[in-house]
Amino acid sequence: MSQGSREQRNKEIVARWFEEYWGKGNPDIVDELGTDDLLFHYPMHGEMHGREAPKKMIVEFREAFPDLSFDVVGDLIAEGDYVVGRWEGGGTHTGPAFADLPVGSLPAATGRKIHFSGTTVYRIKDGKVAEEVGQEGALTALQQLELVPAR
């Protein structure tokens, strides 16, 4: 397989992962397209290893924010085994309490809205996502949720 076709395939894997995991909140995609030793890390959710923790997180995140949505912004960029993408998303906290945050937790149904953006680097290994490491606007989101004071 040529370098260009491998990179195109990797972008297709990431696009599908992003749409299913973040776009639809489908935890089953983690079993299908994630490696057994998946590394998943965002400042707002911390570092996770394996498949179970990211699956649990997306289910709880979607339960707490039923209208949660994320979209890729611009084009995905691929180089070798790595794919980088920018995204934005958000939702309204109308569901149960949510504690998967670095500071504090939300009681049930606060009605608080979040909208933030970020950049994620994916590493693909043998056609599967081995790493998803991102930087999101965590401070922005935490301020919108009133867990961190705004200046």
Side-chain angles (χ1 to χ4, degrees):
M1 179 181 307
S2 72
Q3 181 75 3
S5 62
R6 183 175 104 208
E7 290 169 348
Q8 181 59 37
R9 186 196 82 214
N10 289 348
K11 287 197 292 188
E12 291 168 1
I13 291 165
V14 167
R16 182 157 176 253
W17 172 279
F18 189 91
E19 174 62 25
E20 289 292 322
Y21 185 83
W22 291 109
K24 296 178 181 175
N26 176 8
D28 296 334
I29 199 69
V30 177
D31 289 329
E32 182 182 340
L33 287 182
T35 61
D36 291 339
D37 60 346
L38 173 67
L39 167 63
F40 189 96
H41 183 269
Y42 285 90
M44 200 155 51
H45 301 289
E47 187 170 304
M48 300 176 218
H49 296 272
R51 293 178 176 158
E52 294 311 308
K55 287 169 38 178
K56 180 178 184 281
M57 187 278 296
I58 197 63
V59 168
E60 290 176 357
F61 202 6
R62 284 226 171 251
E63 287 173 350
F65 295 82
D67 65 344
L68 190 67
S69 67
F70 288 97
D71 295 299
V72 173
V73 176
D75 295 328
L76 295 173
I77 301 166
E79 179 71 31
D81 294 334
Y82 293 90
V83 178
V84 178
R86 296 178 330 150
W87 51 267
E88 65 178 27
T92 308
H93 180 235
T94 58
F98 186 64
D100 184 34
L101 299 165
V103 293
S105 62
L106 293 171
T110 64
R112 297 176 189 152
K113 295 179 184 295
I114 55 173
H115 187 272
F116 57 106
S117 60
T119 302
T120 301
V121 178
Y122 295 87
R123 184 173 63 85
I124 307 302
K125 178 181 176 187
D126 300 325
K128 295 192 176 229
V129 176
E131 295 178 9
E132 177 174 346
V133 178
Q135 286 291 326
E136 81 276 71
L139 179 59
T140 298
L142 294 172
Q143 287 173 331
Q144 292 167 349
L145 293 172
E146 299 176 20
L147 294 173
V148 172
R151 290 180 130 206

